[in-house]
Amino acid sequence: MKRFDYVIAGGGSAGCALAARLAEDPSVSVCIVEAGGNGKDLFIRMPAGNGFVFGNPKLDWGYQSEPQPSLNGRSIYFARGKALGGSSIVNGMIYMRGVAVDYEQWRQIGLKGWGYADVLPYFKRAEGSRDRRDDWHGVDGPLKVEPSVNYGTLDKAFISAAKAAGHRELDDFNGAHRTGVARTDSTVSRGVRQSAAIAYLKRPPSNLTILTGRQIARLVIEGTRATGVETIDGEIIRANREVIVCQGAFGTPHLLMLSGIGPADHLRAHGIDPVLDAPGVGANLADHVDVSIQYASDRLDLSYAKHQRLDRAALLMGRWLFNGSGPGGGALFSSVLFHAFEDQALPELQVYMTPMIIDENIGGGDEDAAPSLQRLGRKLLVRGRKVAKPGIQIDINQERPRSFGSVRLKSADPREYPMIDPNYFSHPSDIDQLVRGVHVMREVMAQPEIAQYHQGEIGVWKDAKSEAEIIHAIRETAYTGHHPCSTARMGTDLHAVLDEELRVRGIDGLRVCDAAAMPTQITGNLYATVVMMAEKAADLILQRPAPAPEYPAPTTRTDANSDQSEAVHV
C-alpha cells in the first residue's frame, strides 16, 4: 500500500499546479493519481495539434450531455482532457482571467480572501508573461504567456470593423479594462502549449510521486475522514494528511457521489450508502453557452483551412518541429471582443473570431469524408469531425447565463459516465440576451473593414431575419463554450459544498480544487482562474501566509484609439 501526506485525485489544470506548489515543502510527500497518460504527446505540445487531442479517446474523456430540449433535442459534446494537464491539453490556449467584479462578488458572499485584490497576487505568481511589465502581470511564474502568434489579416480586419461599429480597442484584456476588442494573449511559449503539466511539472522533485493510468473508483472514507483513494483495479493509496479532489466540473462531483458524498436520496437510488447528505454536489452546473454564426469566403489564402492539405500540413509540421515557429506554434483564436449591455466593468458577451468554418460539436453529426490530401491535414488547427472550410466564424459566448444544470449518476459503476444536463436556455432571459448579441455582431460584420473578406452568412443563419428566425438559428447552432464549473462550489449558503478554504463541509481531510469549486461562473476563460485557485490552495493547505492584497491604482486611462473611458476600482 502506498502512503503519502497529500494525495491529489486528478492531475488536471489544478492538480498539476497544486502538486508542484505543495512539493516545494521538502518535508511533505505528495502524490498525483491520474487516469490518463503523462501529457507529453507531440500533439499536446504542438498548439496546432488540437484536432489530434479533441475527440481522441486516449486523450479526451469525451462526455456527452443529455439531449437538450431547448437545442431541438441535440446532445452536446464536452471535451475534457485525459492526461496530466487535464483540460489544459485541449483548451483554446487563451490566457484570460475573470474581471475584478467576478472575484469581488465571491468576497461579498462571505468568502474571505477571495476578493480581486486577494487573488491578483496568485495570478501574478502563476504567470510568466513574456512582454507585459506592469502591476497587473507576473513575469517569473511557470505558466508562460505571450501574444497570440496567429494574428493575421482577418484578425486585424475584425478589430478594425469592431472599432468602426463603436467598440473600443484594448491593449490588454487582463489589465484595467475588459469591454472592447483586442488581440489575445496565449498560454503558449516558443511554440509549445503551456498545459499545467508542461508548465508546472517539467522537473518533478523527489517528494512528488506521479501515478498515471490509474482511474479512481472512490474516495476511502473512515468515519467522517477521507484517508485515501481506491482505483478501479483495487489499489489503495493512503493520505496521511489530506485528499484533494481535482477532477474537474464533471469528474469531481462524479467521484464525490460514488464515494457517498452527495444528495442522499439520489445516492440511495443507485445503491450507494450516503456518507454525507450534500445536495449541492452535482448541482449548479454553469457553462458559457456558445452561438456560432458562419460567413462564407473565397479567401482560402487567409484561412486556417489552407493548412489541411497534406503538403501544407507537412510544411507546417516541419517548420514547427524545426524551431516551434509558424502557424503550428500558435493558438487558434487570436482576436476576441467583449460586449457589455449594462455595465462596462461586467460584459455579458465574449466573442471569438476564427478565420475558418468549423463544427466543434462532435455529437452534431457524422465525420466528413476527407479527400486524400486532407486525411492528415484535416486535424491540424481543427477540432471536431468536420473538414474546415474557408470563411469566418463568429462565436458568441454568453458569460453569465441564468440557466443552471446538473451532474448526476447513471449508476454506481465508476466506469460509466455521469448524466450531464447543462439545461441550456431554461431561463428565458438567456435567449433574449443572445438575440441582442446577434444584432451587435451583425453590425460589426457588416462594416466594410471585414465585409470585404466575406460573402455573408450561411447555413441556418442565411435567412434568419425575424426574432423568431434568429431564435431558431440560436437553438440550431448553440453548444458549449467549454467552460463548465461550480458543481461542488465554495460558498456560505446551505447548499455550498465547500468552505472558503476549499474544505468539504462535514468530511475531514478532504478538499476540492478545480473548476467545480468556483462559487460562480466568471467573465472569461477558466484556465487562468483554476491555476490561480491551485496557487492559493497550496498556501491554505500548508498554512503559509497569504501574500498582501494588491490594489493597482484605479484608472480612467483611455485605451488605444478610443474616446471612451472606464474606471476600475477594487
Side-chain angles (χ1 to χ4, degrees):
M1 183 185 300
K2 298 179 175 66
R3 185 177 288 275
F4 305 89
D5 291 319
Y6 299 103
V7 174
I8 297 175
S13 300
C16 290
L18 177 60
R21 292 308 195 192
L22 290 177
E24 288 177 344
D25 182 345
S27 70
V28 303
S29 57
V30 183
C31 178
I32 298 174
V33 185
E34 165 59 35
N38 62 18
K40 296 180 180 179
D41 300 59
L42 172 68
F43 291 111
I44 289 175
R45 296 175 55 82
M46 180 184 184
N50 229 1
F52 290 91
V53 179
F54 193 101
N56 180 343
K58 294 181 180 179
L59 299 172
D60 178 359
W61 285 98
Y63 293 102
Q64 294 273 2
S65 80
E66 296 300 294
Q68 295 295 290
S70 63
L71 305 186
N72 299 331
R74 289 185 295 127
S75 179
I76 300 302
Y77 184 84
F78 286 100
R80 298 284 92 187
K82 186 180 182 181
L84 286 177
S87 292
S88 66
I89 72 170
V90 73
N91 66 11
M93 292 164 283
I94 293 178
Y95 182 77
M96 189 79 69
R97 306 168 185 169
V99 297
V101 178
D102 291 328
Y103 310 109
E104 284 301 286
Q105 290 176 342
W106 294 6
R107 179 183 62 81
Q108 289 164 5
I109 65 174
L111 296 172
K112 182 179 178 182
W114 291 95
Y116 182 67
D118 303 304
V119 301
L120 180 58
Y122 290 110
F123 278 117
K124 293 171 67 174
R125 179 184 293 180
E127 184 186 11
S129 178
R130 191 189 73 182
D131 297 344
R132 300 194 185 278
R133 300 289 188 275
D134 57 36
D135 291 343
W136 308 92
H137 291 278
V139 297
D140 299 320
L143 183 59
K144 304 304 179 187
V145 176
E146 63 183 32
S148 299
V149 301
N150 285 326
Y151 179 72
T153 299
L154 290 179
D155 295 286
K156 295 172 185 176
F158 176 69
I159 289 175
S160 295
K163 288 164 57 182
H167 301 268
R168 86 179 82 185
E169 183 178 5
L170 303 179
D171 173 65
D172 178 12
F173 280 129
N174 297 298
H177 309 292
R178 176 60 61 85
T179 298
V181 64
R183 179 182 184 176
T184 57
D185 283 354
S186 294
T187 53
V188 174
S189 179
R190 298 180 180 179
V192 177
R193 170 193 287 272
Q194 296 300 289
S195 73
I198 291 170
Y200 278 88
L201 300 179
K202 289 177 181 175
R203 290 175 291 276
S206 60
N207 62 332
L208 172 57
T209 299
I210 301 173
L211 303 177
T212 56
R214 289 169 168 85
Q215 183 176 342
I216 298 172
R218 67 180 183 94
L219 302 171
V220 179
I221 300 174
E222 299 175 359
T224 59
R225 183 172 187 83
T227 60
V229 300
E230 181 179 349
T231 71
I232 58 175
D233 296 323
E235 181 181 11
I236 294 178
I237 301 151
R238 291 285 185 181
N240 295 329
R241 299 187 184 183
E242 292 191 22
V243 177
I244 307 100
V245 181
C246 303
Q247 296 197 163
F250 304 141
T252 285
H254 190 210
L255 178 60
L256 292 175
M257 288 187 285
L258 290 170
S259 307
I261 301 171
D265 290 344
H266 177 66
L267 301 184
R268 290 190 190 101
H270 291 284
I272 297 172
D273 292 331
V275 174
L276 176 69
D277 183 11
V281 173
N284 205 65
L285 170 61
D287 190 18
H288 291 153
V289 64
D290 182 318
V291 170
S292 182
I293 307 176
Q294 297 178 336
Y295 291 80
S297 175
D298 56 8
R299 294 298 301 271
L300 180 63
D301 60 314
L302 300 180
S303 173
Y304 291 159
K306 68 184 178 183
H307 298 294
Q308 289 195 307
R309 217 174 74 181
L310 181 59
D311 56 341
R312 291 181 175 174
L315 181 63
L316 179 148
M317 289 187 65
R319 186 175 174 186
W320 179 81
L321 287 167
F322 179 68
N323 62 5
S325 67
L332 183 65
F333 308 105
S334 299
S335 54
V336 164
L337 181 150
F338 280 88
H339 180 73
F341 292 114
E342 307 295 338
D343 183 349
Q344 294 291 301
L346 200 60
E348 291 89 353
L349 303 177
Q350 179 180 10
V351 183
Y352 305 87
M353 191 284 295
T354 310
M356 65 179 173
I357 293 171
I358 54 176
D359 180 3
E360 290 190 18
N361 189 30
I362 289 178
D366 295 330
E367 183 167 322
D368 278 354
S372 58
L373 284 178
Q374 290 184 341
R375 287 176 187 165
L376 168 66
R378 64 174 297 161
K379 289 187 178 292
L380 291 175
L381 289 161
V382 178
R383 307 195 295 192
R385 289 192 174 124
K386 305 296 185 182
V387 174
K389 300 173 183 177
I392 298 172
Q393 185 157 313
I394 297 297
D395 286 289
I396 305 172
N397 274 240
Q398 190 171 36
E399 297 301 273
R400 288 174 306 282
R402 296 185 181 181
S403 304
F404 298 95
S406 63
V407 178
R408 290 288 180 256
L409 295 174
K410 282 187 180 177
S411 77
D413 183 352
R415 296 174 180 84
E416 185 167 14
Y417 285 9
M419 296 172 56
I420 299 168
D421 181 9
N423 202 25
Y424 292 133
F425 301 146
S426 56
H427 195 292
S429 69
D430 292 346
I431 281 274
D432 295 340
Q433 191 176 82
L434 283 169
V435 169
R436 295 174 68 190
V438 168
H439 291 304
V440 169
M441 293 316 301
R442 281 179 162 174
E443 182 181 2
V444 171
M445 296 303 290
Q447 301 300 317
E449 289 84 352
I450 190 75
Q452 64 180 307
Y453 296 112
H454 70 77
Q455 287 85 51
E457 296 170 1
I458 59 175
V460 69
W461 289 99
K462 184 176 181 180
D463 298 315
K465 308 302 182 192
S466 68
E467 180 169 327
E469 290 166 340
I470 292 171
I471 290 173
H472 172 71
I474 288 172
R475 294 189 189 280
E476 282 289 311
T477 60
Y479 61 109
T480 176
H482 303 291
H483 299 150
C485 65
S486 302
T487 49
R489 61 185 175 88
M490 273 194 296
T492 54
D493 60 282
L494 292 176
H495 287 280
V497 179
L498 312 175
D499 68 10
E500 65 190 26
E501 295 194 7
L502 301 168
R503 296 174 296 203
V504 175
R505 289 195 170 93
I507 301 291
D508 296 327
L510 181 62
R511 300 190 205 226
V512 170
C513 181
D514 56 28
M518 290 170 53
T520 64
Q521 183 59 275
I522 61 167
T523 310
N525 308 67
L526 303 193
Y527 183 30
T529 291
V530 169
V531 171
M532 172 276 289
M533 294 173 72
E535 292 274 2
K536 182 173 174 65
D539 280 356
L540 293 172
I541 292 167
L542 296 176
Q543 298 184 335
R544 295 186 298 215
E550 296 187 20
Y551 301 86
T555 178
T556 56
R557 185 188 70 243
T558 301
D559 282 273
N561 303 304
S562 172
D563 59 0
Q564 302 179 58
S565 62
E566 162 195 338
V568 173
H569 300 272
V570 295

